[in-house]
Amino acid sequence: MTDDIALSWLFLALAGLLIGSGFFSLSETCMMALNRYRLRHLVKQGSRGARLAQGLLDKTEELLSFILAGNTVLNAATTILVAEICRRLFGDGEYVLGIATGAASLSILIFAEILPKVFGARFSERLALIASYVLSPMVRITSPIMWFINALVRAILRVFGIKPVAEGAASLSMEEMRTLVLEGGHFIPQKHHNIMLNLFDLENMTVDDTMTPRALIEGVDIDDKIETIRNALSTSHHTRLIVYEGDLSNVIGIVHVRKVLNASEKEPLAKETLREIMRDPYYIPEGTPLLQQLTHFQEQQRRMALVVDEYGEIQGLVTLQDILEEIVGEFTSQSPMNAGMFRRQDDGSVIVEGSCPLRVLNRKLGYNFPLDGPKTMNGLLIEQLEDIPEPGTAVKVGEYPIEILQTEDRKVKVVRLAAT
């Protein structure tokens, strides 16, 4: 019966089968290579093609079954058709079967597999949105047949004790999201890129990493003379100050400097006025994660908290600004807390206060001191030496030579970091 069909029509039918098979191969590649997050963005923008593609990918099992079934049928038909064309051209000789097999394999490999899949991978988004207009109705029309085939496949899988993979995109872990941001650096503005990376770092940080140490907390003693208190308030670098009675261990409140100045405009500042306008102190335990504390500041409508250890002793102070600066960077070029903590010398070395946080040195000067242990230069050196060092002692921490210049009250006061 096929002898009645012109050879030109057979070649035309062969081209149609290869195009159809190529379409299925292209569709499989571009749909699987499609960026799911980009696709969701396009759906929100109202793209109909993206909406159709999203619907297909929501049922990946059905989509792949349809594409593979279509490809298999077309490739089988292509093989039969090539065999018939070869018979017409070369007769019924024994070698004709080999020619037909080679010609069919080469045609399918080049025009129905390699070329379409290369194009599908190269232009995945554009082609996936176009292909979805064709695939979507075809999947719906053939759904009864594909349901039967998928049911048969599931039954066979159950015989071997294999459970089908659940549909839907897998969630990303924090490390995977960090990698996503790192690899997408060329498409994200540098400032936004840094902020996003800082947010990931915040996940592993606690208030201990960014708090102002107890020795550097600025406050006023309610037992001091009123003139001393007024002078401390008027010259403070901060908008809020700790108010304590006798000693920092006995904090009685936190005062907003602006409220004090407003009150002093009406009448001379008195200690009773100070007690009235100050707010109760807000305590948090050491080791509190920074992200959690950021939420607590929002819920408690606070901007400052005192960090205490398991015995209730004050270890430091953390503010909302401290946490925000870990995300977006410092708001001022020279923080009062860090002023004078380090200074560069003409020979390239750096003079550092023992109370200087290691995180400040890493961030501002490019060092790479470990942050999973002691938080200050003093703590790092005492841990390394396991003793209170004498002035003139030299030690190398990692790749950094350090010379102790001054000690005081059982702690390292000043060190020199050699030029690197």
Side-chain angles (χ1 to χ4, degrees), residues 79 90 95 101 110 127 162 202 282 284 291 293 324 367 388 392 409:
T79 302
F90 306 109
Y95 63 90
T101 302
I110 294 176
L127 294 175
I162 301 174
L202 215 64
Y282 172 41
I284 60 173
L291 278 179
Q293 186 54 44
L324 294 180
Y367 289 99
I388 308 298
D409 296 331

Side-chain angles (χ1 to χ4, degrees), residues 1-7 10 84 87-88:
M1 182 175 180
T2 56
D3 290 339
D4 299 331
I5 303 174
L7 192 60
L10 294 182
E84 175 60 22
R87 187 187 69 79
R88 292 273 198 96

Side-chain angles (χ1 to χ4, degrees), residues 389-402:
E390 295 291 332
T393 303
V395 63
K396 191 171 185 179
V397 179
E399 57 184 291
Y400 307 116
I402 303 175

Side-chain angles (χ1 to χ4, degrees), residues 150-362:
N150 286 329
L152 184 60
V153 171
R154 292 192 192 97
I156 296 173
L157 290 176
R158 277 197 294 271
V159 171
F160 291 97
I162 301 174
K163 295 182 179 180
V165 179
E167 295 286 343
S171 58
L172 293 176
S173 67
M174 290 297 281
E175 286 304 316
E176 290 170 335
M177 290 181 66
R178 182 185 179 91
T179 302
L180 190 64
V181 172
L182 285 171
E183 293 184 350
H186 297 297
F187 307 98
I188 306 173
Q190 185 60 41
K191 185 63 177 178
H192 297 171
H193 184 258
N194 293 338
I195 289 174
M196 294 176 74
L197 290 179
N198 289 340
L199 277 172
F200 292 127
D201 291 337
L202 215 64
E203 183 75 16
N204 301 317
M205 293 175 60
T206 67
V207 292
D208 308 55
D209 295 313
T210 190
M211 71 180 183
T212 302
R214 174 174 175 146
L216 299 178
I217 294 178
E218 184 178 345
V220 293
D221 187 352
I222 198 72
D223 290 340
D224 286 341
K225 294 180 180 180
I226 192 62
E227 290 79 10
T228 304
I229 295 175
R230 288 174 186 162
N231 182 62
L233 291 169
S234 62
T235 59
S236 173
H237 293 289
H238 307 285
T239 57
R240 291 169 176 81
L241 283 180
I242 299 296
V243 180
Y244 57 90
E245 191 168 8
D247 184 78
L248 194 59
S249 299
N250 187 25
V251 175
I252 59 175
I254 298 175
V255 66
H256 198 299
V257 176
R258 177 171 53 81
K259 291 184 178 181
V260 176
L261 295 177
N262 291 339
S264 61
E265 289 179 356
K266 301 175 183 179
E267 58 183 18
L269 180 65
K271 293 183 179 182
E272 292 73 17
T273 306
L274 191 62
R275 289 181 181 273
E276 290 174 1
I277 62 178
M278 70 183 182
R279 194 175 183 183
D280 291 338
Y282 172 41
Y283 298 99
I284 60 173
E286 61 181 353
T288 302
L290 276 189
L291 278 179
Q292 180 180 327
Q293 186 54 44
L294 185 62
T295 303
H296 289 170
F297 274 140
Q298 184 179 31
E299 294 173 348
Q300 301 290 332
Q301 296 185 345
R302 294 275 194 163
R303 290 176 175 267
M304 176 186 291
L306 291 166
V307 182
V308 296
D309 62 14
E310 59 182 319
Y311 303 106
E313 294 292 328
I314 295 175
Q315 300 300 307
L317 178 148
V318 66
T319 66
L320 177 61
Q321 179 174 324
D322 293 332
I323 300 178
L324 294 180
E325 286 183 348
E326 291 293 338
I327 302 173
V328 300
E330 293 188 0
F331 297 110
T332 57
S333 59
Q334 185 64 44
S335 169
M337 172 195 158
N338 298 331
M341 280 195 166
F342 58 85
R343 54 190 181 276
R344 288 189 177 276
Q345 304 298 298
D346 294 337
D347 60 359
S349 63
V350 182
I351 303 299
V352 180
E353 294 288 331
S355 57
C356 183
L358 297 174
R359 186 172 294 276
V360 171
L361 294 174
N362 289 353

Side-chain angles (χ1 to χ4, degrees), residues 3 32 105 113 121 139 299 317 366 369 416:
D3 290 339
M32 294 303 104
S105 300
E113 291 293 334
V139 169
E299 294 173 348
L317 178 148
F369 288 113
R416 183 198 305 274

